Amino acid sequence: MPGRVLVTRRLPGGGLDPLVAAGHEVVQRPGDEAWSTAELREAAGTVDGIVCLLTDRIDDSVLESGAAGRLQVVANVAVGYDNIDVAGAGRLGITVCNTPGVLDETTADLAFLLILSAARLASEAESDFRGGRWPGWGINQYLGRDVHGAVLGLVGYGRIARAVARRTQGFAMEVRHHSRSDTGEPGWVADLDELLATVDIVSLHVPLTDATRHLIDGRRLGLLRPGAVLVNTARGPVVDEEALAGALESGALFAAGLDVYEREPEVSPRLLAAPRTVLLPHIGSATTTTRSTMAAMAAQEVCDVLAGRAPRHPVTG
Ligand code: GLV
């Protein structure tokens, strides 16, 4: 039986199609303003499903309100789901789904872009150039680090990290990876500290959990080799931003490439001012194809649950 589905924001092309095809009533605002938690709480009690984004905080109060009504499923248009109280949803019998797999290559492209642009100081050089501060070619200008031949350390070894690893082949890089359980694959390093101390470039690919919050703190930044580059396309709070800014300011860390931040959309003024830093506004999966696919996938998950079918990508707390 068709139901009511809240879709919190405007979705890219075709994102609503599965809901419309299944005959569900789509509840959306005329504009594209974010929903406050209070508004989400009120709306959750009146719908069967929610399609939300990583910027929507689906906390216990929203889920409780949904459970008091008829809410069955929350589908996040993202692979990460730290914005949703998944354990709470489990207790209340509400299914939570995400969109894994379809954004791996696109996000890996962006991680590689950050590896290259941070190591080669592209942002600083472009900013000087655009700002009229380039006096002409100079042999000592913008001396970066070579990416080809470098040792890359992947923290986390899920699908996105593996997609980054595949991209290193053309750059003749050596790849090491750290994950909590032994992958049984060449390059696995059991101890994160050891990995950090033995690579030239570090790229982060862990989800945000209690165990990974500030995984990269001041002490661990201090383990990195002189000249190291840090890239984060995972979640901002995995890195202690103040410590990171300090490491960049002192030169202990050569460069950083970031797509995610501790308090999005706020960015630490110290990071904004930090040298040798490439900052992008959380665009890891932002291509038309990938974002449209993610949106339609989340909508399909809602359709499946409301039709009594097993969702393909349920997540548990
Ligand atoms: C993006 O950050 C995602 O989790 O999909």
Side-chain angles (χ1 to χ4, degrees):
M1 205 175 66
R4 265 166 72 81
V5 178
L6 170 67
V7 180
T8 60
R9 304 299 286 264
R10 299 276 134 195
L11 298 180
L16 292 180
D17 289 358
L19 295 169
V20 173
H24 295 301
E25 180 192 346
V26 174
V27 179
Q28 268 189 317
R29 284 182 159 161
D32 193 28
E33 306 84 38
W35 293 65
S36 68
T37 303
E39 290 169 327
L40 285 170
R41 198 179 304 129
E42 198 179 322
T46 70
V47 294
D48 304 279
I50 299 178
V51 176
C52 60
L53 305 189
L54 58 84
T55 45
D56 299 313
R57 187 133 299 280
I58 309 292
D59 66 12
D60 201 44
S61 72
V62 174
L63 294 163
E64 295 266 0
S65 151
R70 54 193 209 227
L71 184 65
Q72 294 179 52
V73 54
V74 176
N76 214 26
V77 185
V79 66
Y81 46 85
D82 48 280
N83 57 310
I84 302 176
D85 178 358
V86 177
R91 276 194 301 277
L92 294 164
I94 296 168
T95 304
V96 177
C97 304
N98 68 341
T99 61
V102 295
L103 46 72
D104 303 344
E105 301 297 331
T106 302
T107 307
D109 285 349
L110 194 91
F112 226 86
L113 181 154
L114 284 173
I115 289 171
L116 287 165
S117 53
R120 296 299 303 273
L121 306 178
S123 276
E124 226 163 71
E126 189 189 13
S127 154
D128 285 355
F129 184 60
R130 286 181 184 272
R133 293 182 296 276
W134 186 55
W137 190 87
I139 197 158
N140 287 309
Q141 287 168 0
Y142 308 115
L143 302 184
R145 295 285 192 266
D146 280 326
V147 173
H148 70 270
V151 184
L152 173 66
L154 298 168
V155 180
Y157 204 51
R159 285 177 305 262
I160 296 172
R162 287 164 191 264
V164 173
R166 284 196 295 278
R167 282 158 177 72
T168 63
Q169 286 177 11
F171 287 78
M173 296 169 85
E174 180 186 332
V175 182
R176 297 185 188 158
H177 62 273
H178 165 79
S179 54
R180 276 185 303 181
S181 44
D182 188 350
T183 60
E185 294 177 41
W188 179 68
V189 179
D191 181 26
L192 175 58
D193 289 2
E194 184 190 328
L195 177 105
L196 295 175
T198 55
V199 299
D200 303 307
I201 299 168
V202 178
S203 189
L204 304 177
H205 300 284
V206 288
L208 176 62
T209 63
D210 288 343
T212 62
R213 192 173 296 276
H214 282 195
L215 184 70
I216 305 299
D217 56 9
R219 184 188 70 77
R220 288 207 162 109
L221 286 167
L223 298 174
L224 292 169
R225 283 177 170 173
V229 174
L230 177 78
V231 166
N232 189 7
T233 53
R235 283 290 183 267
V238 172
V239 178
D240 178 344
E241 271 182 5
E242 285 302 301
L244 174 61
L248 287 160
E249 286 160 3
S250 71
L253 182 66
F254 179 68
L258 308 177
D259 188 43
V260 288
Y261 304 90
E262 270 199 84
R263 284 169 291 278
E264 296 179 14
E266 284 169 41
V267 189
S268 139
R270 274 180 80 191
L271 267 189
L272 281 172
R276 304 176 308 284
T277 304
V278 181
L279 302 176
L280 296 178
H282 204 152
I283 58 169
S285 62
T287 65
T288 306
T289 306
T290 295
R291 287 277 171 87
S292 305
T293 307
M294 291 164 68
M297 191 168 163
Q300 185 60 50
E301 294 288 271
V302 167
C303 292
D304 287 346
V305 173
L306 297 187
R309 293 186 292 267
R312 274 176 294 176
H313 304 290
V315 295
T316 48

